[in-house]
Amino acid sequence: MKIGDLGRATGTSVETIRFYEAERLLPAPARNSANYRVYELAHLERLSFIKRSRDLGFTLDQVRELLRLADDPGNSCAGVDVITARHVAAIDRKLADLAALRSELVRRLDSCQGPTIADCRIIEALSPKGEAAG
Amino acid sequence: MKIGDLGRATGTSVETIRFYEAERLLPAPARNSANYRVYELAHLERLSFIKRSRDLGFTLDQVRELLRLADDPGNSCAGVDVITARHVAAIDRKLADLAALRSELVRRLDSCQGPTIADCRIIEALSPKGEAAG
DNA sequence: ATGCACCCTGAAGTCACTATAGGGTCAAGC
DNA sequence: GCTTGACCCTATAGTGACTTCAGGGTGCAT
């Protein structure tokens, strides 16, 4: 299996696969006579794991840790739970931040009286002189 | 007003102010005999505008556009509304993505039976062989 | 022989800063 | 007058997770 096949099979770009190899997330595969990378099933499985983890928003460092834990079936599951729970907490913070941000923006959009910048409540709210309107 | 004063007045770091100057978001101020930057009220107002916009999650390119629009009071307010509405839409997408992500993670956390990696439903769900569990 | 899709490496670009190295300025205190 | 410490300066590199680019090699069909 060549790098393009692996990319199609996992939904990962060729460049990203090479990047993961440089980052030591994915072991360097064998090369054929043309110096092309030749991947085995194990690579496909490992890259799938990485892809799923990334799709779930884990950072590469978290993925590294998850891979390390997953590599030994005798490890305690607690480490995985901690990483996941922390990640959920981080997502909760982001959700709260974004929701606050959104309501602020919508409030400004709704109050915009236009038609020109001179009357625009959004610009007014962003400008220091528009403090009272913010 | 020196760069440190401006930073304290707006809640921006000195490095960020210099960065904004290099990015031409903030005009280069006059210098005193010691080659220190000397800021006027106009700089304070412009940096406040930038800071508020950034706090609302606008990208620097969006801030640039908002500044351009804000600079002419005769401009139509519509441009500002479009930028803001697009930003709200982008936030909505992010909120939906994060919410989906969160429920996925929580589902996996809840179903984790532990105690070891061998029984861990999270790792199982991330692994290709655990497809049926995901 | 030509075209095209695919592969290779190494380096630079993205975003919005942040940090670091290596210096200069200025007021206060001894 | 000398040091200490807070502030200022420039230029450069680092962050995360890729993406893009330059410049080339390979393999197969026409």
Side-chain angles (χ1 to χ4, degrees):
Chain A
M1 166 173 242
K2 283 188 290 183
I3 196 168
D5 303 321
L6 182 62
R8 272 182 295 277
T10 56
T12 313
S13 82
V14 164
E15 292 80 9
T16 298
I17 295 174
R18 286 196 283 246
F19 169 74
Y20 286 165
E21 181 181 324
E23 291 288 303
R24 299 181 168 282
L25 277 160
L26 202 57
R31 301 290 182 117
N32 69 10
S33 60
N35 197 32
Y36 288 11
R37 289 170 177 83
V38 182
Y39 292 96
E40 312 295 331
L41 181 59
H43 291 103
L44 175 60
E45 288 176 357
R46 197 168 178 91
L47 182 54
S48 297
F49 185 102
I50 297 170
K51 180 67 161 57
R52 282 153 190 259
S53 304
R54 288 289 302 135
D55 284 350
L56 285 171
F58 289 103
T59 66
L60 287 191
D61 271 351
Q62 287 173 324
V63 174
R64 247 181 279 270
E65 183 66 9
L66 288 172
L67 281 168
R68 197 183 63 72
L69 292 169
D71 277 347
D72 183 355
N75 271 333
S76 162
C77 196
V80 176
D81 286 6
V82 166
I83 293 176
T84 307
R86 262 191 212 139
H87 188 33
V88 169
I91 288 174
D92 282 345
R93 281 193 298 278
K94 259 188 211 163
L95 278 169
D97 285 355
L98 279 178
L101 231 151
R102 184 190 194 285
S103 68
E104 181 84 6
L105 285 168
V106 168
R107 197 159 59 78
R108 286 169 192 211
L109 254 187
D110 288 348
S111 71
C112 184
Q113 311 278 348
T116 67
I117 291 290
D119 323 290
C120 181
R121 295 264 182 265
I122 298 174
I123 291 294
E124 190 179 303
L126 290 171
S127 303
K129 286 171 188 161
E131 188 99 33
Chain B
M1 166 173 240
K2 281 187 291 184
I3 196 167
D5 303 321
L6 182 61
R8 271 183 295 279
T10 56
T12 313
S13 83
V14 165
E15 292 79 9
T16 298
I17 295 174
R18 285 195 283 246
F19 169 75
Y20 286 165
E21 181 180 324
E23 291 289 301
R24 299 182 169 279
L25 276 160
L26 202 58
R31 301 290 182 118
N32 68 11
S33 59
N35 197 32
Y36 288 12
R37 288 169 178 83
V38 181
Y39 293 97
E40 311 296 328
L41 181 59
H43 291 103
L44 174 60
E45 288 176 356
R46 196 166 179 96
L47 182 55
S48 297
F49 186 102
I50 297 170
K51 181 67 162 57
R52 282 154 190 259
S53 304
R54 287 290 300 135
D55 285 349
L56 286 171
F58 289 103
T59 66
L60 287 191
D61 270 353
Q62 287 173 323
V63 174
R64 246 180 279 270
E65 183 65 10
L66 287 173
L67 280 168
R68 196 182 63 72
L69 292 169
D71 277 347
D72 183 356
N75 272 334
S76 162
C77 196
V80 176
D81 286 6
V82 166
I83 293 175
T84 306
R86 260 190 214 140
H87 188 34
V88 169
I91 289 173
D92 282 345
R93 281 193 298 277
K94 261 189 208 162
L95 278 169
D97 286 354
L98 280 177
L101 232 152
R102 185 190 193 286
S103 66
E104 182 84 5
L105 286 168
V106 167
R107 195 161 61 77
R108 287 168 191 212
L109 255 187
D110 288 348
S111 72
C112 184
Q113 310 278 346
T116 67
I117 291 290
D119 323 290
C120 180
R121 295 260 182 269
I122 298 173
I123 291 293
E124 189 179 303
L126 290 170
S127 304
K129 285 170 192 164
E131 189 97 33

